[in-house]
């Protein structure tokens, strides 16, 4: 189904984005010093270890009648099998999607019925289960968290549903230069250490994960002696410990042997350019390996990095944004994990200023190492940390997180009581010492993601003579040189993950340098009918598709504009074959669009107007892309179906084109048969392509429906459609589609 609401959003975006650039004469003086910090006392806590090894932390906090539960297991993406990145991520998403005694709906109903919340997920070093409930539901919450942690079902249908969502999300991420820059930076800094692998996996690795992999991961790591439980809120410690013993006391232990992962490489100067032709700006990452969270120098180094590019000081932002106007923002962070960590500075800039921006960033690393920080800079960074600390212990969940972090990383819990004193004890000499020890401006890892042809000549003049230029289509993080291997006919070999899909600008030139589909466009004997039949069967079958007469759907159209996102509730009504109506509640009022019998009207506060021919043609093209009639017309032979080159692994591509429709390329999942993506000209006669990506497929009345779609058009904000409810073959009033006809009469 199509969502023609996108065409009504032009006025909305103009309204949402038009009030920004009116400020003049911004003060040049420094802001006043922050007020003295109010006294803050960390709440008391008690820690016990159950007989099975489970560490339990109880923190009474009686300001509201609620309790927060946080269970963490000491296993995350770093514990993924070497050839299966993404196991921890997929397993974590499945924990609350069914146990051996409750299905996903039962779990959701149970937590909703008590007004609580439940969530699961995985990080680099850990997997977590969180719950927040009112105090009188503590026992039920403990039972639910225990069941989710100990007895996940890993049901086949839930595995496939979550798998498709993760793969779809990854494919969208690979179009995001920020994601690419971060992923390549991690790979270079950490090498083949587990921290260098993509935390969410790759499309190929997620597709290869079996139920046995998930069960083995759970069996290997999920045990009482490898977990920590925090119970924080309106509950006395004795009650909390008794509840933990009752709910978790029978949880078994696991054998946790110390792993020996590859050591991260030492800091080494390396500049990698991920070439994305057509990009108008460059993502920049600069940094090096650092220290683990429990290192005694963590506090001093954190403040040093705050001075470089963090809250309270941020030299990078001042130089790059305020003084030079090269970027909208710049920052630096200390990412400290269990085994090691990294320092990463980041920004983006126009292609034409890439060399200058990079030079200035590296210079700031040198200045922090060479020169003492100004006491005012350090004081501002300290003021930020001490001033924001009370915000990190406002709620039971916040307190639980602080304590769990301390226990997980092996820190002294008593240090939470003296946090402010420890921050203020760091001096300028400490900052210079750790900067000289842990910052390596002569051996920085540098990643540039952008159009290399637009900035590569700037690098030598900026002092960067040696670099590696890798086309985005050839990027392969599993290779030592980050390059995909090809055989004599140009097909990818050896390394598979995580290859990166090129942007539409790249596709015309890279084509078969990417993942190659077995269906080749240059093979005149290729028969696409079986693939169309497979897509129809996956959608629900020919009989069910032919039986669809009407559709009614309620959805949210989310427009990701430059200054934030705007959510527009919509109601879509369809009466096949040729009547479509979208009613949208925009910030400026109700807008109704109707397409009926090849005519198009819009109704808003100004009345009803018929669209001009150009707009009507665009709407007509959108209607023609409705997947249900499109597949039926292809099956009946009314639309020629041609093979097309697929640029994604696991997807086969077909091109549909007839005199009455613009060319449409469907990308069909090779395993499931579901349509995962559409690509088509952005406008009539345009050489640029728009695309829609479909995910979160669910069965409704025997039909597979994508409950999420991401729409991307060149030069336009990204749009996401999120379906809330949908029904087929429901009665629709005839007047829904006759607003223009009524006016004309």
């Amino acid at each position: 189904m199509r969502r023609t609401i996108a065409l009504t959003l032009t006025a909305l975006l103009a309204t949402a984005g038009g009030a920004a650039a009116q400020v003049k004469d911004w003060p040049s003086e420094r802001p006043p010093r922050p007020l003295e910090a109010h006294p803050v006392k960390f709440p008391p806590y008690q820690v016990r270890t159950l007989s099975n090894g489970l560490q339990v932390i109880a923190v009474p906090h009686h300001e509201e009648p609620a309790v927060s539960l946080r269970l963490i297991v000491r296993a995350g993406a770093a514990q993924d099998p070497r050839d299966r990145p993404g196991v921890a991520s997929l397993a974590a998403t499945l924990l609350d999607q069914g146990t051996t005694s409750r299905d996903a709906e039962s779990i959701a109903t149970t937590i909703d019925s008590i007004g609580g919340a439940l969530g699961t997920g995985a990080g680099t070093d850990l997997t977590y289960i969180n719950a927040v409930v009112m105090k009188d539901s503590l026992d039920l919450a403990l039972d639910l968290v225990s069941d989710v942690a100990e007895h996940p079902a890993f049901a086949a249908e839930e595995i496939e549903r979550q798998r498709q969502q993760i793969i779809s999300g990854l494919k969208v991420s690979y179009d995001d230069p920020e994601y690419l820059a971060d992923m390549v930076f991690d790979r270079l800094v950490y090498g083949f250490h587990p921290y260098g692998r993509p935390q969410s996996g790759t499309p190929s690795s997620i597709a290869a994960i079996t139920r046995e992999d998930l069960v083995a991961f759970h069996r290997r790591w999920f045990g009482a002696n490898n977990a920590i439980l925090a119970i924080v809120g309106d509950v006395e410690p004795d009650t909390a410990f008794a509840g933990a013993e009752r709910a978790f006391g029978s949880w078994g232990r696991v054998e946790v042997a110390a792993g020996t992962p590859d050591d991260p490489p030492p800091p080494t100067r390396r500049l990698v350019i991920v070439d994305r032709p057509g990009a108008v700006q460059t993502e920049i990452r600069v940094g090096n390996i650092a220290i683990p969270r429990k290192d005694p120098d963590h506090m001093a180094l954190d403040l040093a990095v705050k001075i470089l590019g963090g809250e309270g000081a941020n030299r990078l932002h001042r130089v790059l944004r305020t003084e030079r106007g090269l970027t909208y923002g710049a920052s630096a962070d200390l990412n400290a994990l269990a085994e090691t960590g990294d320092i990463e500075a980041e920004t983006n800039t126009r292609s034409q200023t890439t060399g200058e921006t990079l030079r200035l960033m590296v210079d700031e690393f040198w200045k922090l190492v060479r020169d003492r920080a100004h006491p005012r800079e350090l004081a501002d960074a300290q003021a930020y940390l001490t001033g924001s600390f009370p915000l990190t212990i406002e709620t039971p969940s916040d307190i639980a997180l602080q304590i769990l972090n301390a226990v997980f990383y092996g820190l002294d819990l008593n240090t939470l009581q003296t946090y402010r004193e420890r921050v203020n004890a760091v001096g300028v000499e400490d900052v210079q010492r750790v900067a000289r020890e842990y910052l390596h401006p002569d051996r920085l890892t540098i990643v540039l993601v952008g159009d290399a042809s637009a900035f590569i000549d700037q690098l030598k003049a900026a002092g960067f003579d040696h670099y590696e230029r890798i086309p985005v289509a050839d990027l392969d993080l599993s290779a030592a040189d980050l390059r995909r291997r090809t055989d004599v006919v140009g097909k990818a070999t050896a390394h598979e993950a995580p290859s990166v899909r090129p942007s539409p600008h790249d596709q015309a030139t890279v084509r078969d340098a990417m993942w190659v589909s077995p269906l080749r466009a240059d093979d005149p004997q290729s028969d696409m009918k079986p693939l169309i039949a497979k897509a129809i069967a996956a959608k629900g079958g020919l009989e069910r598709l032919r039986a669809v007469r009407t559709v009614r759907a309620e959805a949210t159209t989310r427009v990701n504009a430059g200054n934030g996102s705007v959510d527009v509730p919509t109601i879509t009504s369809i009466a096949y074959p040729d009547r479509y109506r979208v009613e949208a509640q925009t910030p400026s009022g109700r807008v109704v669009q109707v397409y009926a019998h090849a005519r198009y009207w819009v109704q808003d506060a100004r009345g009803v107007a018929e669209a001009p021919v150009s707009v009507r043609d665009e709407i007509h093209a959108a209607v023609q892309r409705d997947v249900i009639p499109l597949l039926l017309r292809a099956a009946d032979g009314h639309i020629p179906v041609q093979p097309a080159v697929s640029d994604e692994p696991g997807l086969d591509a077909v091109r549909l084109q007839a005199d009455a429709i613009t060319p449409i390329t469907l990308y069909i999942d090779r395993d499931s048969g579901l349509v995962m993506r559409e690509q088509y000209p952005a406008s009539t006669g345009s050489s640029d392509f728009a695309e829609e990506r479909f995910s979160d497929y669910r069965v409704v009345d025997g039909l597979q429906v994508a409950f999420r779609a991401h729409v991307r058009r060149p030069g336009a904000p990204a749009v996401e459609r999120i379906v809330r409810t949908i029904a087929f073959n429901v009665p629709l009033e005839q007047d829904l589609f006759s607003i223009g006809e009524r006016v004309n009469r």
Side-chain angles (χ1 to χ4, degrees), residues 597-656:
H597 313 303
R599 299 179 67 184
Y600 171 64
W601 297 276
V602 176
Q603 180 183 41
D604 55 21
R606 296 169 295 182
V608 178
E610 185 166 4
V613 173
S614 59
V615 176
R616 184 195 65 198
D617 290 344
E618 295 293 338
I619 293 296
H620 180 71
V623 168
Q624 296 290 340
R625 293 192 294 269
D626 189 329
V627 171
I628 290 178
L630 192 63
L631 290 176
L632 289 176
R633 293 177 68 191
D636 293 339
H638 299 315
I639 304 177
V641 180
Q642 303 169 346
V645 174
S646 174
D647 58 9
E648 296 192 35
L651 300 186
D652 292 326
V654 293
R655 180 182 173 91
L656 296 89

Side-chain angles (χ1 to χ4, degrees), residues 5 40 99 200 236 282 328 390 406 429 458 520 538 601 623 637 743:
I5 183 60
V40 175
T99 69
S200 298
E236 294 303 323
T282 306
Y328 285 110
E429 294 78 9
Q458 307 167 23
R520 295 295 302 273
W601 297 276
V623 168
V743 170

Side-chain angles (χ1 to χ4, degrees), residues 413-575:
L413 280 172
N414 292 324
T415 59
L416 294 172
Q417 302 282 5
T418 59
Y419 179 80
R420 282 179 163 174
E421 291 79 4
R422 291 186 297 110
V423 171
N424 290 326
V426 176
V428 171
E429 294 78 9
D430 299 311
V431 169
Q432 187 171 34
R433 175 183 61 81
V434 295
R436 288 178 173 177
E437 185 170 354
Y438 300 115
L439 270 66
H440 305 285
D442 58 333
R443 290 171 285 160
L444 290 172
T445 291
I446 300 172
V447 177
L448 307 177
V449 179
D451 187 345
S453 65
F455 63 74
I456 205 163
D457 291 340
Q458 307 167 23
L459 297 181
K460 185 174 182 179
F464 303 97
D465 297 322
H466 303 289
Y467 53 81
E468 302 164 64
R469 180 177 179 176
I470 303 173
V472 67
D474 294 342
L475 184 63
D476 180 359
L477 300 191
S478 63
D481 62 357
L482 303 180
R483 293 180 181 275
R484 172 179 298 276
R485 297 290 182 265
T486 57
D487 61 18
V488 293
V489 295
K491 293 187 178 180
T493 63
H495 306 290
E496 284 296 326
S499 302
V500 183
R501 190 179 67 80
S503 69
H505 299 289
D506 303 317
Q507 290 172 3
T509 57
V510 302
R511 292 188 178 244
D512 296 333
M514 291 296 296
W515 309 292
V516 181
S517 167
L519 298 171
R520 295 295 302 273
D522 55 1
D523 181 2
Q525 303 302 318
S526 296
D527 186 359
M528 296 294 99
K529 290 182 180 179
L531 187 56
I532 292 296
K534 184 177 183 179
I536 290 174
K539 186 71 176 170
L542 199 59
E543 183 177 350
R544 286 189 184 274
L545 293 187
R546 292 196 193 281
V548 176
R549 294 290 179 266
T550 63
V551 183
R552 186 181 187 277
E554 296 182 7
T556 297
T557 297
R558 178 167 297 158
V559 185
N560 297 306
N563 58 343
S565 63
V566 179
D567 284 355
V568 180
T570 63
I571 299 175
T572 300
S573 304
I574 302 175

